[in-house]
Amino acid sequence: MNNSDPDTYPQQTSESEKLDLKTKLAFGAGDLGPAITANISIFFLLVFFTNVAGIPAGLAGIILLIGKIWDAVNDPFVGVLTDKTKSRWGRRLPWLFYGAIPFGVFFFLQWIVPRFSSNASVNFWGVFWYYVAIGVISQVFYTVVNLPYTAMTPELTQDYDERTSLNSFRFAFSIGGSIVSLLLAKVIFENIADRQQQYLVLAAICGVISVLGLYWCVWGTRDRIMAFEGKRTQTEESAPIPIREQLKIVFSNRPFLFVIGIYLFSWLAVQVTASIIPYFAVNWMRLKESDVPTVLIGVQGTALLMLFVWSALSKRVGKKAVYFTGMSLWLIAQIGLFFLQPGQIGLMYVLAVMAGFGVSTAYLVPWSMMPDVIELDELQTGQRREGIFYGFMVLLQKFGLAFGLFVVGMALEASGFKEAVSGQSALPVQPDSALFAIRIATGPLPTIFLICGLVLTYFYPLTREMHAQVLLQLKERQNKVENRDF
């Protein structure tokens, strides 16, 4: 199957294979909800557990890890189920439509501090298991909406450079949504004194925005997706492959292994840095809690601006060169943060901007590589199986988040970090050992992950020329099928 055939989309030519602005905007809006909720969780959930709910840092990390272990089970299976879904709206859109509202509701429920008993010990463990249960359910609905969404990319266009442009819109909404949520957090933190109320209001607003963004995506892309599905169901004739055999094929796809490795290490660096920055800014740099969103906006704002620059540049020099350039600047920033001293606020913002250059490539490049890998798999197997590939991609994103937060939580616990007492306004003073652990998690640890990602990128085997050859062979195969049917 090859969607560059002019009959696939009557209003477009195989030479252009371009998407109109309306479709790109609608597709981008689909990542608004998952991005906002994921970023709020990255930046604030560990802090919320330790400084509002009064949960020790180690146990807080365990709560997050339990949810992601469940994701390791459900992500690939949801991916396979979306590949098998049959609907007049295609394979992906029904999942977004029906999953949007539960997704927003269970995200909000994560930010409640329940009270189960007047007995402190009983109440503590009740709160712990509440967050475990809500976290698991919340991650299920995150998978239900986000995995089918990410699998839509190769269904909207097969053009090598157009996919990079499409992902630019996606991550413009993703990072833009993150910036909006951080601006909301800053306004809310400055105007609401009670910490628990701060997070409840922030979660409620972000939950509503998330649901609306998903519905925008469904309605704005359905015509394009339905046209793709109509063509796919006419030309795809290969017999279904059992799930176990699909897993074997996925992990025998050598470029795919490189892409998930690049993405895993990039995302680990993002998650660890994002989760530790609130502690770094408040405990080491001695900023106010309301100043934390401003620091994060410095990173995310730069990443947003650079998305379209990197996208345009990748057409000239290629995805690998763009990744190397952005990551090199990010490495310098991470090393600089470790040596930063309290009071060097201006330099801190300069380093935050430098980090943003690299963060944007961590978003853009691995995701724009994925559709190319899927087409190679289609050439080898005769089937389009976006769901299972993106299932493992989303699994790694969540694993990166969970593992990063778990490592940070355990490191803080081991270093003697003092969690806040629930209901108390003043934060405890941290010992020197905890401050040093915060600095290690801010600088050297993400640096190691970034270097590993650079090594894998250097050896990534699927070039622009190879991808063009894959598309040519897919086109020849489709022509044979059409000529035989004729």
Side-chain angles (χ1 to χ4, degrees):
M1 179 186 65
N2 181 22
N3 295 318
S4 61
D5 191 297
D7 293 333
T8 305
Y9 308 114
Q11 297 179 342
Q12 295 175 323
T13 67
S14 59
E15 287 78 15
S16 65
E17 186 62 25
K18 302 300 181 184
L19 299 169
D20 57 36
L21 181 61
K22 178 184 175 182
T23 302
K24 288 182 178 180
L25 288 171
F27 176 73
D31 207 31
L32 192 61
I36 285 178
T37 55
N39 280 301
I40 289 295
S41 298
I42 292 166
F43 296 139
F44 297 120
L45 195 54
L46 188 61
V47 174
F48 171 78
F49 285 154
T50 59
N51 292 355
V52 179
I55 297 174
L59 283 178
I62 289 173
I63 292 172
L64 297 168
L65 188 63
I66 289 173
K68 306 309 175 182
I69 290 174
W70 167 244
D71 277 342
V73 176
N74 77 60
D75 275 6
F77 284 98
V78 171
V80 171
L81 289 174
T82 66
D83 283 342
K84 294 179 177 294
T85 297
K86 294 182 179 180
S87 161
R88 65 186 182 91
W89 279 17
R91 298 177 291 174
R92 321 295 179 192
L93 295 184
W95 292 78
L96 274 66
F97 182 83
Y98 292 109
I101 291 177
F103 167 66
V105 169
F106 280 97
F107 169 73
F108 173 76
L109 292 177
Q110 289 183 107
W111 304 90
I112 293 174
V113 182
R115 184 172 180 81
F116 295 101
S117 172
S118 58
N119 183 294
S121 177
V122 172
N123 187 69
F124 173 83
W125 287 109
V127 170
F128 173 83
W129 288 111
Y130 169 83
Y131 288 129
V132 169
I134 293 297
V136 166
I137 299 171
S138 177
Q139 289 305 319
V140 168
F141 283 107
Y142 182 96
T143 301
V144 163
V145 298
N146 191 51
L147 196 152
Y149 167 76
T150 58
M152 288 166 57
T153 307
E155 299 181 356
L156 289 169
T157 180
Q158 282 192 309
D159 183 86
Y160 186 84
D161 292 320
E162 188 71 358
R163 282 172 174 170
T164 304
S165 173
L166 188 64
N167 276 295
S168 296
F169 277 84
R170 172 190 172 185
F171 292 118
F173 273 89
S174 174
I175 300 174
S178 174
I179 292 171
V180 169
S181 66
L182 292 172
L183 289 172
L184 285 170
K186 184 172 179 60
V187 172
I188 291 168
F189 291 172
E190 288 177 345
N191 290 279
I192 299 178
D194 183 84
R195 282 201 185 91
Q196 183 177 351
Q197 290 299 318
Q198 289 174 352
Y199 288 107
L200 279 176
V201 172
L202 180 62
I205 296 173
C206 290
V208 171
I209 294 173
S210 299
V211 173
L212 294 177
L214 287 165
Y215 284 131
W216 180 6
C217 177
V218 170
W219 292 106
T221 62
R222 60 174 181 160
D223 291 341
R224 181 86 182 193
I225 292 296
M226 289 169 69
F228 171 89
E229 284 294 311
K231 188 67 176 180
R232 181 187 67 84
T233 54
Q234 291 175 14
T235 59
E236 188 173 274
E237 297 182 348
S238 301
I241 302 174
I243 293 178
R244 182 176 296 181
E245 187 63 26
Q246 289 197 40
L247 296 178
K248 290 180 180 178
I249 295 172
V250 164
F251 285 101
S252 65
N253 187 315
R254 187 164 174 265
F256 175 69
L257 298 180
F258 275 91
V259 171
I260 61 175
I262 294 166
Y263 185 65
L264 175 59
F265 285 118
S266 301
W267 205 245
L268 278 170
V270 171
Q271 309 303 334
V272 170
T273 304
S275 61
I276 200 65
I277 280 294
Y279 295 102
F280 180 82
V282 172
N283 297 111
W284 178 248
M285 298 302 294
R286 300 168 189 168
L287 297 178
K288 297 178 182 178
E289 288 180 282
S290 59
D291 292 327
V292 172
T294 308
V295 180
L296 299 172
I297 289 169
V299 179
Q300 298 286 47
T302 305
L304 175 61
L305 293 174
M306 287 304 299
L307 272 178
F308 297 98
V309 176
W310 291 132
S311 178
L313 192 59
S314 71
K315 297 178 182 179
R316 293 175 173 267
V317 300
K319 298 171 184 177
K320 291 173 68 170
V322 162
Y323 186 84
F324 267 91
T325 304
M327 288 296 151
S328 298
L329 292 170
W330 191 3
L331 276 170
I332 296 171
Q334 293 295 151
I335 295 170
L337 285 172
F338 176 73
F339 293 102
L340 202 64
Q341 296 299 311
Q344 295 179 318
I345 306 301
L347 181 57
M348 179 188 68
Y349 281 106
V350 171
L351 294 174
V353 169
M354 289 180 64
F357 279 80
V359 169
S360 61
T361 61
Y363 280 99
L364 181 63
V365 174
W367 284 106
S368 64
M369 290 175 171
M370 272 297 290
D372 309 334
V373 168
I374 289 168
E375 259 128 23
L376 176 62
D377 173 71
E378 181 189 357
L379 181 64
Q380 295 170 342
T381 67
Q383 289 190 350
R384 290 193 70 89
R385 297 176 299 123
E386 294 93 338
I388 191 168
F389 278 98
Y390 280 102
F392 281 101
M393 196 74 160
V394 174
L395 181 155
L396 286 173
Q397 181 182 17
K398 295 177 181 179
F399 174 78
L401 169 60
F403 184 72
L405 294 176
F406 174 73
V407 167
V408 170
M410 295 306 293
L412 292 178
E413 180 92 357
S415 66
F417 180 86
K418 298 179 180 179
E419 68 275 2
V421 177
S422 180
Q424 218 174 60
S425 59
L427 294 175
V429 177
Q430 301 300 335
D432 290 341
S433 56
L435 294 177
F436 185 70
I438 290 170
R439 293 174 63 208
I440 290 291
T442 304
L445 186 57
T447 298
I448 294 170
F449 296 140
L450 293 177
I451 292 172
C452 292
L454 285 171
V455 172
L456 290 175
T457 303
Y458 180 80
F459 291 104
Y460 176 66
L462 191 54
T463 63
R464 185 197 302 264
E465 293 73 23
M466 290 178 63
H467 177 255
Q469 186 64 30
V470 168
L471 286 183
L472 179 61
Q473 293 180 57
L474 286 173
K475 178 66 176 179
E476 291 173 350
R477 176 189 291 173
Q478 182 190 3
N479 289 338
K480 290 179 181 178
V481 172
E482 290 176 348
N483 291 334
R484 183 189 64 199
D485 293 341
F486 181 78

